[in-house]
């Protein structure tokens, strides 16, 4: 998807000014969005069958399709769907975005002059580092409230092409910031909870329609001459099943998402938006999508123009629709569908099938129900609420990761550190904090402003921007550090370095940033803390080894309240508890992993080290799941099974027990719903400060041919007071959590001794097959 450039010109600080203006707007604006269709005051439409709310949606769809001409149908196949005035149907723009707050990236959403902004939560990679799935759903609920309010005010649609659940496979990817990280289980859980927050939970009705993107194996934008429009991702069945498709499967099966977006790239030689196996057979067939499939913007056109996959644009149109595509973000289906039908490459019934899926979602949203819309009470007074701003702040606090803390590092003291030097190109930024696919924020608190709420500050940027091409401003920064009781360096990246269509060439800090950090740390009179703002990982080994840098904090892109959250962590008002959702590699790792190599597993014969914590065993700067606290936690197992039996039908024993032990039991050959157990873990706070801890459980399969090092099987956020103890119960699904995927893409449960990792604890769990009659 291409972000349209836009200027965010409203910066309001403090946020309270925003609410004063909102008050005036409530008085002077009261108009709600005109009904999409079926207004009972319209004599033409009031008696039409598709307007009858009490009828089943499938009957309403059938009636509407029967009333449309072919040309009218074709005009509805694209994101800027045309109006059908004779049926009272207005034009509709499908493309709106809500990655981490209502965004004006898509043409379907406008803020000004009616809405001054919407709550801008931390970028997804930062929210993922909270490992708090309850929080993810709460954020989705707030975003959908504001989205509905803007729809009612005529400024947004109801179909939001979010979330991005691609796997953050390569640390250079410019869009990694949009994702929940590198682990498929984490990404899947994020997808499910955020989608549920957006879509609501009222039967088949939808609050807004979410969209999981970009399906599938999409994680290269522009690197060394390769670009996303023409890239052919060569992916094994094994990696597709156990990595790339995992979040999308959960999105559809568990999250009940209303839409999936197919990606630009090809997978194994076929464009994803024209692959009937990926779309019709998998998403709509095996996973039973109740909704529509949309292309990434101009993906259909790209098949012909960039990929040269088809001989004509009509062929691209026909192949996409027949493969299962329902909606085109772009003009191709509007321009070439009629020609494809005339040439015999497509039938009108194929068009009807696509429209049935899109219209069905609109009806579930209430867009054919006249003025009595669901959630019609939501309005401008529900946008930028104090409670929403507080949730954005809480998300930022929980997402901040303490990477390093030694000696006399944080928390800083307002008594001992009365003057703090705040230095760096990200020290007083606003829009940098909300990352990409963002909108206009309700207001901002910058890191400098946040720290200034605690102590007196001395401010120097050190570099004019994050590219830091010169070192002329380092001298004044050194002087500031010499004068202060403590120094906070706020460094890192922004969208000029990592973004959509902008993958990084390396994972080092840009320009003279390293020099600025080292020189300021050397000059600091008091403790020096390094704060990194970025979406992707960085090799900051130099800072990790520098004894003058007492603490390192990763803030990601922390959202509109990021400055307050950073200051709260620095001064101990908040005890940090975030964990890294991706591995931080050393720079030399990149030489061994071209971005074009989609393989997850290590290949020693070709000096390929593998990717992510699940398959890479080499040195790292910081591992997946790393994150410190101002207190300490101790785990102990209160109750956990030591063995479990997997029942099998005799015909599925594959000749003998030895085969089952060697190859593992196919999950399709047992009754997975019964293979559930619970772990009970005690988490004790052994320090002197209350804290929130993320308890993570990993599993490793039996030794042998299984390639996975370990994989995340569960996590839970728990708050423990100093000296206190909390017992955590974590469900363990054998087929879901203890399975692996073989080279043929078949998911199996390996027999033998599995190892569960809970902090420093290792617990053995033996899985064995038993022959018995399985009653389904």
């Amino acid at each position: 998807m291409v972000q349209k450039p836009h200027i965010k010109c409203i910066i309001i600080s403090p946020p309270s000014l925003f609410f004063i203006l909102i008050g005036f707007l409530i008085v002077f604006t009261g108009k709600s969005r005109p009904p999409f269709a079926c207004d009972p005051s319209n004599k033409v439409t009031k008696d039409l069958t598709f307007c009858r709310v009490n009828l089943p949606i499938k009957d309403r769809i059938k009636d509407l399709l029967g009333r449309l001409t072919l040309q009218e149908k074709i005009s509805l196949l694209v994101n800027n769907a045309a109006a059908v005035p004779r049926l009272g149907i207005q034009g509709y723009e499908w493309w709106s975005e809500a990655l981490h707050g209502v965004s004006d990236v898509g043409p379907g959403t406008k803020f000004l002059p009616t809405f001054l902004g919407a709550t801008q939560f931390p970028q997804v990679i930062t929210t993922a580092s909270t490992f708090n799935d309850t929080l993810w759903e709460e954020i989705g609920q707030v975003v959908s409230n504001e989205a509905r309010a803007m729809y009612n005010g005529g400024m947004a649609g109801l179909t939001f092409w979010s979330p991005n659940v691609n796997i953050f496979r390569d640390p250079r990817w410019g869009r990694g910031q949009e994702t929940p990280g590198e682990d498929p289980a984490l990404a899947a859980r994020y997808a499910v909870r955020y989608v549920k927050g957006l879509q609501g939970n009222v039967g088949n009705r939808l609050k807004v329609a979410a969209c999981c993107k970009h399906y599938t194996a999409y994680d290269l934008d522009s690197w060394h001459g390769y670009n996303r429009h023409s890239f052919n991702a060569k992916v094994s069945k094994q990696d597709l099943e156990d990595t790339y498709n995992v979040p999308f499967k959960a999105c559809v099966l568990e999250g009940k998402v209303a839409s999936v977006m197919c990606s630009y790239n090809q997978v194994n030689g076929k464009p994803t938006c024209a692959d009937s196996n990926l779309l019709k057979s998998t998403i709509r067939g095996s996973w039973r999508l109740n909704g529509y499939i949309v292309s990434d913007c101009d993906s259909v056109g790209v098949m012909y123009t960039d990929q040269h996959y088809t001989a004509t644009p009509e062929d691209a149109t026909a192949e996409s629709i027949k493969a299962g595509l329902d909606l085109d973000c772009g003009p191709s289906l509007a321009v070439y569908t009629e020609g494809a039908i005339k040439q015999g490459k497509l039938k009108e019934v194929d068009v009807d099938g696509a429209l049935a899926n899109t219209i069905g979602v609109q009806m579930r949203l209430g867009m054919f129900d006249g003025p009595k819309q669901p959630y019609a009470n939501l309005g401008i007074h529900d946008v930028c609420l104090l409670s929403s701003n507080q949730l954005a702040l809480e998300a930022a606090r929980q997402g901040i990761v303490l990477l390093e803390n030694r000696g006399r590092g944080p928390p800083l003291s307002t008594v001992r550190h009365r003057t703090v030097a705040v230095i760096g190109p990200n020290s007083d930024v606003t829009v940098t904090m909300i990352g990409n696919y963002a909108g206009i924020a309700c207001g901002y608190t910058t890191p400098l402003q946040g720290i200034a709420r605690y102590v007196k500050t001395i401010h120097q940027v050190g570099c004019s921007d994050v590219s830091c091409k010169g070192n002329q401003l380092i001298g004044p920064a050194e002087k500031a550090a010499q004068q202060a009781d403590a120094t906070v360096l706020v460094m890192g990246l922004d969208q000029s370095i990592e973004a959509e269509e902008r993958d990084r060439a390396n994972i080092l800090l840009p320009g003279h940033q390293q020099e600025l950090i080292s020189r300021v740390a050397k000059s600091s009179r008091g403790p020096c803390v390094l704060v990194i703002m970025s979406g992707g990982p960085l090799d900051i080994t130099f800072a990790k080894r520098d004894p003058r840098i007492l603490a390192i904090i990763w803030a990601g892109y922390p959202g509109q309240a990021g400055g307050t959250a950073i200051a709260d962590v620095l001064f101990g008002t908040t005890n940090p508890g975030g964990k890294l959702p991706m591995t931080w590699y050393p720079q030399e790792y990149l030489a061994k992993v071209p971005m074009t190599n989609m393989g997850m597993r290590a290949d020693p014969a070709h000096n390929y080290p593998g990717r992510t914590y699940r398959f890479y065993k080499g040195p790292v700067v910081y591992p997946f799941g790393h994150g410190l606290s101002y207190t300490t936690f101790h785990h102990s197992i209160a109750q956990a099974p030591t063995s479990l039996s997997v029942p099998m039908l005799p015909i599925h024993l594959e000749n003998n027990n030895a085969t089952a032990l060697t190859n593992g039991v196919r999950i399709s050959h047992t009754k997975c719903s019964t293979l559930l157990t619970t772990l009970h873990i005690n988490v004790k706070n052994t320090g002197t400060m209350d804290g929130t801890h993320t308890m993570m459980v990993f599993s490793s399969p039996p030794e042998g041919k299984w390639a996975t090092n370990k994989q995340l099987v569960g996590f839970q956020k728990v708050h423990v007071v100093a000296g206190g103890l909390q017992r955590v119960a974590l469900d363990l699904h054998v087929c879901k959590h203890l399975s692996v995927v073989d080279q043929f893409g078949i998911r199996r449960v390996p027999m033998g001794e599995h190892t569960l990792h809970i902090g420093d604890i290792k617990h053995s769990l033996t899985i064995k097959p038993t022959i018995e009659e399985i009653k389904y």
Side-chain angles (χ1 to χ4, degrees), residues 296-316:
D296 204 338
C297 293
D298 210 28
S299 288
V300 179
V302 160
M303 291 179 205
Y304 169 68
T305 59
D306 290 51
Q307 299 178 3
H308 310 294
Y309 180 74
T310 61
T312 68
E314 287 82 4
D315 289 330

Side-chain angles (χ1 to χ4, degrees), residues 457-481:
T457 59
I458 307 171
H459 182 229
Q460 289 290 334
V461 291
C463 298
S464 57
D465 55 38
V466 294
S467 64
C468 206
K469 294 179 180 177
N471 61 4
Q472 302 91 337
L473 300 177
I474 295 179
E478 290 177 296
K479 290 180 181 178

Side-chain angles (χ1 to χ4, degrees), residues 183-185 242 601 613-615 617 624 637 641 644 677 679 681 695-703 706-715 730-741 747-750 752-759 761-767:
D183 181 76
D242 87 343
R601 289 156 172 78
Y613 80 95
R614 295 165 65 223
F615 304 106
K617 296 181 180 180
F624 173 90
I637 296 175
L644 289 171
T677 188
L679 307 176
I681 312 295
M695 189 201 74
M696 296 184 187
V697 178
F698 298 86
S699 73
S700 297
E703 291 186 11
W706 314 109
T708 310
N709 298 333
K710 63 179 183 178
Q711 60 188 16
L712 184 67
V713 300
F715 55 88
L730 195 141
D731 290 335
L732 190 67
H733 297 263
V734 172
C735 292
K736 185 176 181 180
H737 296 141
L738 300 182
S739 62
V740 297
V741 176
R747 189 167 287 278
R748 299 174 178 272
V749 178
E753 187 177 296
H754 294 248
T755 303
L756 300 179
H757 307 259
I758 306 127
I761 301 173
K762 291 184 179 181
H763 175 77
S764 293
L765 175 60
T766 301
I767 308 292

